[in-house]
Amino acid sequence: MITRIPKKALYSSKLLLLLLLLLQITLGTAQDLRVVTGTVRSEQDNQPMPGVSVTVLSTNKGTTTDGEGHFKIQANPNDSLIFHFVGYQSRHIIADHSPLDILLQNGSNLLGDVVVVGYGTEKKEVVTGAIGTVKSKDFVKGAVKDAAQLITGKVAGLSVSSSTGDPTAGTEIMLRGISTLMSSTAPLILIDGIPGDLKTVAPEDIASVDVLKDGSAAAIYGTRATNGVILITTKKYNANQAKLQYDGYLSVQTIAKRPEFLDAADYRRLIKDGVAYTDYGTSTDWFAAISRTPVSHTHNFLLQGGNAQTNYTANINYSNWQGLLKRSDNTNLRANFDINHSMFNDKVKIHLNAIMSKRKYWAGGDGYSFNTYIYRQALIRNPTDSIRHADGSFVTRDGYFYDNPVALLEGVDGENTEKEIRLNGSIIYQPIKSLIFKLLASDNSWMQTRGYATNSAYPSNAANGWGNAYASRGQSNTEDHLLEFTTNYDKAFGAHHVNILGGYSYQDAMADGFWENNWYFPTDVYGYNNMGAGDALSEGSAGMGSGKSENKLIGFFGRINYNYAEKYLFMASVRREGSSKFGKNYRWGMFPAVSAGWRISQEDFLKNSKVISDLKLRAGFGITGTAPSDDYDALTTLNYGDRFLYNGNWVQGLSPTRNPNPNLRWEQKQEYNLGIDFALFNHFVSGSIDVYQRDTKDMLYDYPVPVPPYLYSTILANVGKMRNKGLEILLNFNPVTTKDFSWNSGVTFSTNKNTLVSINNDQFNLTQDWFTAGYTGEPIQTYTHRVEVGQPIGNFYGWKSVDIDEDGVWQVLNKDGEVISIKDATEEDKRVLGNGLPKYYLSWNNSFRYKQFDLSMNMHGAFGYQVLDFLRLFYENPRNAQYNMLKSAFDKVYNKAELDYDLSYVSHYIENGDYWKIDNVTLGYTIPLKTKKTFSSARVYASGLNLITITGYKGIDPEVNRSGLAPGNDDRDKYPTTRTFTLGVNLTF
């Protein structure tokens, strides 16, 4: 008998079974849930943090910490808890134990930060311009040269390169491409608001670097801001910081890559093969004779004290750097003293600051530091020759620019001494909370004293007609005075917030100097300290000169910032500026800017988004300028020349050296910028994207003019136009954050397209739409680049080599694309051979922390450009056998034959310069201290700079000069780049 189950009962049983399954799942889940407790504290001062958001990832569960930083929340053991607080880096912690002890770090890359802008600061949430900010904890570590090297690869669009190992040289900076033909490409540098230099303060004394990249952010600085503005903020008093801190390190350098020239064994082998070399019977490593393993050290002391009413900060830095090549060095003593005092219930605040520095370095050349001609001679000297004769005198040989490098090195003496004193002070009066008046004044002075002398053993004395010795002496001075008065009104009206800035600026600058030289000295004892003893003075052939120049700059400026609920943002500024450098018809210029932003993440439809934590659109436009380099370019200048006999008297002739131009004015840059700032997944990913177009108008250039009616054959005029367009991307990641391990990563990418739009107009023109730039040097003596309308700056221009014939003669393309002998080639057959400016820049920065260990790795690269290898151009040719050559000189060209033709500038020596560098790796260990009676913290670290270069470039280093109109030339006399290894310690007392 079959019993049928009623449908209702069947449905009921199924429903009951489903409910039992759901109950089992729910009970199982509930069994895993437990209450997780803990405390959140600030890593900086170890204080509890109330109001921190604590959420369970991918759920709606959340809570906040109480007044003591405590929290409790239900979570599974495998759940990830997210801790977030504005201005701090979010942390992701697995809830696998309880209680949890959470430390939050200040977040330098989050939108809750305060960034430095022109004449003030702003919350990063409401900034509408393109600004890059780097805090000290994210700086490049190790033996860096200056402030710029601290932020290498950290700011999208800012190219920072170190193309030389000279310890006295700084870094090379370029922001958003080249935008001028003759004016400076260097950005405006401000140290705590005062104009200065990248070397003004020690890198160890810097707290942050902010880069104003676009016109809307930089226009408040007028004619000085076309190339961007870098705002350096030094370390200030902080009640939570230690009273005394010591940072010191020891560095050792090696050559990054040594060029492979023939050694003595190679010479003797080639002599047997019939090469016309001479064997002098010895074996000498000339490079080793002029080089060393340099050891350098730096010590920095930071002292802070006082209270909220009166406090001080003192930073003293001493560095002694040796160079790879002997007698190249750089000793620097810098001190920064900062005092603050407030009175009348903080209504009046007084700030005093003094920065002093003294730098010394060897004067191996007349007017500069190390004479790199010595390096050239070490490369090309016969390796079978001796340094000295048996009697100790130097071995000399006849030859065209062929000297004993050791004699050059030891035959001179000299010293350059630079002293800088920067005094500034300000008074702030705040009658009410929303209104601030500030008066700032500064006096900056710089002086350089230099001396240089050869001795009787110097090999070039006779060739230069100096007899047995030569000496020179000189001094240069600059004075810069700045007076600024600003008024700032800052007020919130409900959801409305307005900030109004108004100001006046007056700056005057003076530069003067003198020099003198003499020769035919009776003894080497005097050196450059008895200039009158040389007989060239009595013969009337000794030289002397002096000069002085001054300029003034006056500006009136204003800015208004408005935001509604930090959601709708607006900024407008204007600066009216007058300069004594301009012509009388254009003394004053106007520099407006406007920008706006929309924080979409503050809208109701995105406020509770689990994906988008922050999202802001920005758009801006600004006009900036670049002033002429010379103080008197707009005026007629006259100069006295040779004497002539007139009515029985010798009269000194007077002739013009410059035409007047009453219409001379600033180069004007108009820039549009569109950007987006974002943070995703609770700041797991954050960053920014910017696109821009900058048009430079009224570019300065020297144009030929007829004489008469003009007084002089050229005139400086505003004619040219140039355009730069680009894209910049910054991405920051926090892939892992746990109690014992964290990993932060950042990527920057930028690209720039440059075009020269025009260089001629109806009044001034070059008769053609191009001109040449760059120079190979002797004995080739030709240009290397062409600057042409419709083309980018940086184009190499020459003959395109495609083959070699059986006689070893270059085969090149003519203007019609036909292959011809270089013997038949003409100027019309030359063409563009590449470009020396990279199209793309990329960097990848990583920092790791595991318990007490920290590791940072910074990498950067440049792509899409070419380099002219001067060493190969001059020393990869068997015809040049009077000098030592590269080992590759005797290789077959195009696998056909050895080259047998005069030195020639052809495309064979232009190579792709693409590279990727592991630039900085630093491993640190924070020592766990059982007691903190002596030290409150102690850290030791090891660091390396310029460690590995991945490139196909055959030369020394593809990171070469990128400034000026001939970028990409890898000069044969360039001081070789180095690799640096550092051991250091950070102690806080």
Side-chain angles (χ1 to χ4, degrees), residues 385-500:
D385 208 350
S386 301
I387 299 175
R388 299 176 186 269
H389 294 292
D391 61 1
S393 60
F394 287 110
V395 173
T396 60
R397 307 286 180 188
D398 291 333
Y400 180 71
F401 287 99
Y402 189 73
D403 295 297
N404 186 324
V406 180
L408 294 173
L409 186 68
E410 298 183 8
V412 301
D413 197 12
E415 183 179 79
N416 289 333
T417 301
E418 297 178 6
K419 296 179 182 179
E420 185 174 15
I421 300 177
R422 297 168 55 88
L423 305 174
N424 69 83
S426 64
I427 300 176
I428 295 176
Y429 175 51
Q430 189 172 10
I432 57 176
K433 184 178 180 180
S434 57
L435 184 63
I436 295 176
F437 300 98
K438 181 178 180 180
L439 178 66
L440 179 146
S442 72
D443 181 289
N444 305 326
S445 62
W446 174 86
M447 180 182 72
Q448 181 200 62
T449 303
R450 57 190 181 272
Y452 170 79
T454 68
N455 59 34
S456 54
Y458 190 67
S460 297
N461 283 334
N464 292 321
W466 293 337
N468 62 332
Y470 167 91
S472 68
R473 192 78 161 149
Q475 187 174 36
S476 299
N477 305 280
T478 63
E479 288 280 346
D480 191 295
H481 307 104
L482 176 68
L483 178 69
E484 288 182 344
F485 178 75
T486 56
T487 302
N488 192 285
Y489 178 76
D490 190 280
K491 185 71 174 179
F493 306 91
H496 303 273
H497 185 270
V498 63
N499 179 281
I500 302 174

Side-chain angles (χ1 to χ4, degrees), residues 33 36 40 51-65 70-76 78-85 90-95 100 102 104 607-611 613 681-684 737:
L33 279 175
V36 178
V40 181
V52 177
S53 169
V54 185
T55 57
V56 179
L57 183 64
S58 301
T59 73
N60 293 322
K61 295 178 183 178
T63 186
T64 57
T65 57
H70 302 313
F71 70 91
K72 61 180 179 180
I73 192 170
Q74 284 190 331
N76 293 316
N78 294 326
D79 282 341
S80 179
L81 301 182
I82 303 172
F83 298 84
H84 175 66
F85 191 76
S90 297
R91 292 195 65 181
H92 293 239
I93 301 295
I94 302 299
L100 294 172
I102 307 299
L104 293 187
K607 269 191 174 180
N608 297 318
S609 173
K610 296 179 181 179
V611 176
S613 306
F681 306 107
N682 205 14
H683 295 277
F684 180 79
T737 305

Side-chain angles (χ1 to χ4, degrees), residues 798-813:
W799 289 307
K800 173 70 174 178
S801 54
V802 294
D803 204 349
I804 194 171
D805 65 19
E806 62 275 7
D807 296 323
V809 178
W810 291 114
Q811 302 293 289
V812 301
L813 295 180

